[in-house]
Amino acid sequence: MFKIGDVNIPNRVFAAPMAGVADKAFRILAKECGCGLVYTEMINDMGLIYKQARTEKLADIKGEMPPVAIQLFGSDPERMGEAAQIAETMGADLIDLNMGCPTPKIVRNGAGAALLNDISRCRQIVRAVNRAVKVPVTVKMRSGWDQEHLNYMELGGVAEQEGAKAVTLHARDRMQFYSGHADWSQIARLKKNLSIPVIGNGDITCPGDAVKMINETGCDAVMIGRASLGNPFIFGQTVELLETGTVIDAPTVSERMDMAKRQLTLSISFKGEYTAVREMRKHLGWYVKGMPGAAHIRLEINQASDSKTMLGLIEKIKNGL
Ligand SMILES: Cc1cc2nc3c(=O)[nH]c(=O)nc-3n(C[C@H](O)[C@H](O)[C@H](O)COP(=O)(O)O)c2cc1C
């Protein structure tokens, strides 16, 4: 157990915010598997302010096991503050500010990683949001725009000065997108210089990597993204390895399929069958990763258009393809 601000966090293994992936069903499974903190997909500040139904749905965390962070993206301090207030009334236990998204569409609007080019704006945003809400405010950032402009140390300091209660570093620059390797030495450097918790992120592929990141960097918590796709089991496995040194066996095919089935059922209850089945195509594709015959079954998965077909495929995979 440790704290971010005054919020108790049961363990040091967090699920990364992932647009198009970390929806309500995903977050519920991550928590059930033992994850200490989950984040919503990134939420557009204007969407919340203008009460867009789609945005409100993305930010809906009702009924989820706390703590849950709502992550916001935007570029205007005042609007971010306003959106944060709305997120707080929606039940956010923490407000996380996106200062790392590399997607051109987001960056063009001055949000996400574009903020790395304007530290004084980052300062104003953290300040405005911190004034607007009572819950702890956190910042998630990349290490800089490119290798010539690595300013994560400065931004980390600014975030702390302005009252952020934790900082997550995805140790890549914006221009790397997801290529190359995360440079964990940056996480170590940041940790040494800040008093608030530092959450390390980037390239944790298995529970052993999480232990390695903590040992190498001294970070307070780890955040896992891509390795959890179709694999929420990684959260519990990582908690167990960190806390007791125990290596939990990999889940069987049957356990994986039961998890996929539960994800589909949850997703249908939140999004309706049409959307849930279509979105489940990619998730189930991830669940079968590495299984013999996966490429072939993926073709079938991608054509499933109703829950009966999808559930039939899950059963088929469970029974050995
Ligand atoms: C599909 C996808 C969607 C993502 N969406 C977000 C997002 O909404 N907000 C955010 O801060 N980071 C987002 N990220 C970045 C992750 O949170 C994380 O920083 C990154 O994947 C590195 O961690 P990993 O190596 O464990 O995957 C996304 C990453 C992926 C792969």
Side-chain angles (χ1 to χ4, degrees):
M1 178 83 79
F2 79 112
K3 280 178 181 273
I4 294 182
D6 55 2
V7 174
N8 286 326
I9 313 283
N11 63 58
R12 296 162 189 275
V13 182
F14 300 176
M18 285 188 283
V21 176
D23 60 4
K24 199 177 185 74
F26 181 94
R27 295 192 298 271
I28 290 174
L29 294 189
K31 273 278 169 78
E32 285 178 0
C33 286
C35 177
L37 177 63
V38 295
Y39 296 68
T40 62
E41 304 168 67
M42 59 181 188
I43 308 290
N44 178 224
D45 58 349
M46 298 297 277
L48 276 189
I49 292 167
Y50 288 111
K51 300 188 186 308
Q52 284 168 1
R54 199 181 153 271
T55 309
E56 286 182 337
K57 185 123 185 142
L58 284 177
D60 173 16
I61 56 168
K62 269 198 300 287
E64 294 178 44
M65 193 198 300
V68 181
I70 291 186
Q71 189 193 60
L72 300 175
F73 74 96
S75 60
D76 180 79
E78 213 173 301
R79 288 201 308 247
M80 288 289 271
E82 205 178 321
Q85 268 173 1
I86 299 168
E88 187 177 41
T89 61
M90 293 177 84
D93 299 293
L94 302 107
I95 304 290
D96 188 58
L97 305 176
N98 183 320
M99 299 189 174
C101 178
T103 309
K105 202 174 115 195
I106 305 296
V107 164
R108 262 198 305 277
N109 290 318
L115 291 167
L116 299 169
N117 291 324
D118 191 348
I119 298 285
S120 81
R121 184 173 284 268
C122 294
R123 181 187 288 283
Q124 289 166 21
I125 290 175
V126 180
R127 184 180 293 173
V129 173
N130 197 41
R131 280 188 185 153
V133 297
K134 290 192 193 67
V135 296
V137 176
T138 59
V139 168
K140 180 167 180 282
M141 62 186 183
R142 283 186 177 234
S143 48
W145 182 260
D146 58 26
Q147 288 300 301
E148 278 67 55
H149 302 90
L150 295 176
N151 52 3
Y152 61 99
M153 295 294 284
E154 188 187 358
L155 179 51
V158 163
E160 180 170 296
Q161 279 164 23
E162 296 301 335
K165 297 296 188 292
V167 173
T168 303
L169 178 61
H170 175 195
R172 275 191 176 80
D173 68 55
R174 186 274 178 178
M175 292 310 293
Q176 284 180 294
F177 288 85
Y178 291 90
S179 68
H181 298 288
D183 180 352
W184 291 359
S185 70
Q186 296 171 345
I187 299 170
R189 241 184 111 209
L190 186 66
K191 171 64 193 165
K192 276 205 190 78
N193 273 269
L194 295 184
S195 318
I196 54 175
V198 170
I199 302 151
N201 172 237
D203 297 351
I204 292 177
T205 62
C206 61
D209 284 346
V211 174
K212 197 159 163 253
M213 182 189 271
I214 290 179
N215 288 343
E216 279 181 18
T217 71
C219 65
D220 300 275
V222 293
M223 177 184 280
I224 303 176
R226 289 166 293 171
S228 69
L229 301 177
N231 183 26
F233 304 95
I234 194 170
F235 297 114
Q237 291 168 340
T238 305
V239 172
E240 206 52 36
L241 188 62
L242 280 171
E243 293 185 355
T244 69
T246 312
V247 176
I248 298 181
D249 288 343
T252 61
V253 170
S254 176
E255 285 165 336
R256 280 152 83 170
M257 289 308 104
D258 286 345
M259 188 67 80
K261 192 169 161 184
R262 179 150 165 70
Q263 184 160 356
L264 176 61
T265 310
L266 282 170
S267 189
I268 290 172
S269 73
F270 301 131
K271 300 186 175 183
E273 181 177 0
Y274 184 90
T275 305
V277 168
R278 276 152 190 80
E279 290 187 0
M280 195 63 200
R281 290 175 183 164
K282 68 177 177 232
H283 289 283
L284 190 53
W286 289 322
Y287 275 100
V288 301
K289 201 171 145 202
M291 290 182 193
H296 182 73
I297 196 82
R298 241 183 237 122
L299 296 175
E300 287 188 60
I301 290 169
N302 287 334
Q303 278 160 16
S305 55
D306 56 51
S307 61
K308 193 162 164 261
T309 311
M310 191 69 95
L311 287 168
L313 281 171
I314 291 174
E315 273 311 302
K316 185 170 154 188
I317 300 163
K318 201 169 160 174
N319 296 325
L321 290 179

